[in-house]
Amino acid sequence: MEWKNLYRGFVMGISDLIPGVSGGTIAVILGIYDRLLTAISGFFSKEWKRHIGFLLPLGIGMGSAILLLSRVIEFLLENYHAPTQFFFLGLIVGVVPFMARQAEVKRNFKLSHYLVMFVAISLLIIMAFAKTDYVLEIEGTLTLSTIAILFFSGWLASMAMLLPGISGSFVLLVIGVYPVVIQALSALHFPIIAVVGAGVVVGFIVSSKGIKYALARFPHVTYASIIGLIIGSLFVVFPGIPSGGTLVISILTFFTGLLVVIFLGAGKRV
């Protein structure tokens, strides 16, 4: 068992609670992204025993973070919205130059790649403005339509979790079920957790192979899309400029987010 993946999974779990920060991006920063895709693809094959030692501690870490910190994230967003969002912004800004170095932008990118980046940025901004106001109460019995919405929300969110650049939480936010999922995690509402979790598992199975294929066959276009999605998420997370003491605190939390990314990147192992 690779028990150091407990802390890696914990950090990825925290990021997947945050709209705008992808667990896949954190995996890139930690130097385990390629292996993560390989392990997820291989786990659902005859060679699953080779990968369980890598995935199990990672899954425990992610699950622990999501269950333990969902209430904290909910509290911070409700009571300290601007400083919390600026912390998220710091994380995202810190990731952009890291991903640019990974993609070797100066050497590999042409005009077409910058156009792909622009399209990705525009798409994310449009998604943010087009997000639904769908509201679901976590009390009571789940209907068939509600189960379907939650399942496919989990499916789409898991695809985003694996893709560096756009977070699963952001996808849930756009669909309109993010508050419901956070409340369900905070209150341990197991029916909702189970339905969304099933969608996440299916999404992992389907998307891991597709993302790995895209990175292998079309690396520059894929990286251009990823960087565009990261930059686009800045427009989504930005809460506006706060006033007074909140502005000072927000600036501090912004630079804290930057430092977190620098610290994680400095400690990565390829």
Side-chain angles (χ1 to χ4, degrees):
M1 289 291 174
E2 297 186 36
W3 294 114
K4 60 185 176 182
N5 277 357
L6 284 172
Y7 103 85
R8 291 169 170 170
F10 197 84
V11 175
M12 289 174 63
I14 294 172
S15 71
D16 283 322
L17 287 171
I18 300 170
V21 183
S22 168
T25 304
I26 299 299
V28 172
I29 294 172
L30 293 173
I32 61 171
Y33 184 69
D34 290 339
R35 193 174 175 198
L36 174 65
L37 291 181
T38 300
I40 292 174
S41 298
F43 184 74
F44 300 99
S45 69
K46 295 179 180 179
E47 300 180 346
W48 64 272
K49 290 182 179 179
R50 284 180 48 203
H51 305 289
I52 193 168
F54 177 84
L55 288 174
L56 183 59
L58 199 71
I60 293 172
M62 290 182 67
S64 299
I66 290 170
L67 291 176
L68 292 174
L69 298 179
S70 57
R71 188 170 297 179
V72 175
I73 297 293
E74 182 182 22
F75 173 82
L76 290 174
L77 286 172
E78 286 182 0
N79 296 282
Y80 304 97
H81 183 75
T84 304
Q85 293 293 90
F86 269 84
F87 175 75
F88 299 163
L89 286 171
L91 292 173
I92 298 168
V93 169
V95 163
V96 172
F98 185 90
M99 295 301 296
R101 288 195 299 272
Q102 289 287 116
E104 298 185 36
V105 167
K106 291 183 179 180
R107 189 178 75 174
N108 295 323
F109 276 28
K110 301 175 182 178
L111 177 61
S112 59
H113 299 115
Y114 289 105
L115 289 174
V116 169
M117 283 176 57
F118 176 77
V119 170
I121 293 169
S122 302
L123 177 63
L124 207 58
I125 294 173
I126 291 170
M127 286 173 63
F129 282 106
K131 79 179 185 68
T132 67
D133 293 321
Y134 175 76
V135 177
L136 173 69
E137 296 294 333
I138 66 171
E139 301 296 334
T141 304
L142 294 177
T143 64
L144 186 60
S145 61
T146 299
I147 290 173
I149 290 169
L150 290 171
F151 177 83
F152 285 106
S153 296
W155 184 328
L156 292 173
S158 70
M159 293 174 66
M161 289 178 198
L162 286 178
L163 184 66
I166 179 171
S167 75
S169 294
F170 174 72
V171 170
L172 296 178
L173 192 66
V174 171
I175 296 171
V177 301
Y178 178 73
V180 175
V181 174
I182 286 293
Q183 289 172 37
L185 290 168
S186 178
L188 294 180
H189 191 285
F190 290 109
I192 289 179
I193 294 173
V195 173
V196 176
V200 168
V201 170
V202 173
F204 277 154
I205 298 170
V206 173
S207 58
S208 58
K209 295 182 184 295
I211 294 171
K212 188 176 180 181
Y213 175 83
L215 284 168
R217 293 293 302 272
F218 313 103
H220 305 327
V221 172
T222 304
Y223 269 115
S225 302
I226 289 169
I227 294 171
L229 292 172
I230 294 173
I231 295 173
S233 66
L234 290 170
F235 295 90
V236 177
V237 177
F238 182 62
I241 300 176
S243 58
T246 304
L247 175 60
V248 176
I249 297 172
S250 297
I251 292 172
L252 291 174
T253 57
F254 174 82
F255 282 105
T256 301
L258 274 176
L259 290 173
V260 168
V261 174
I262 293 170
F263 171 78
L264 291 174
K268 82 168 190 154
R269 297 289 183 270
V270 179

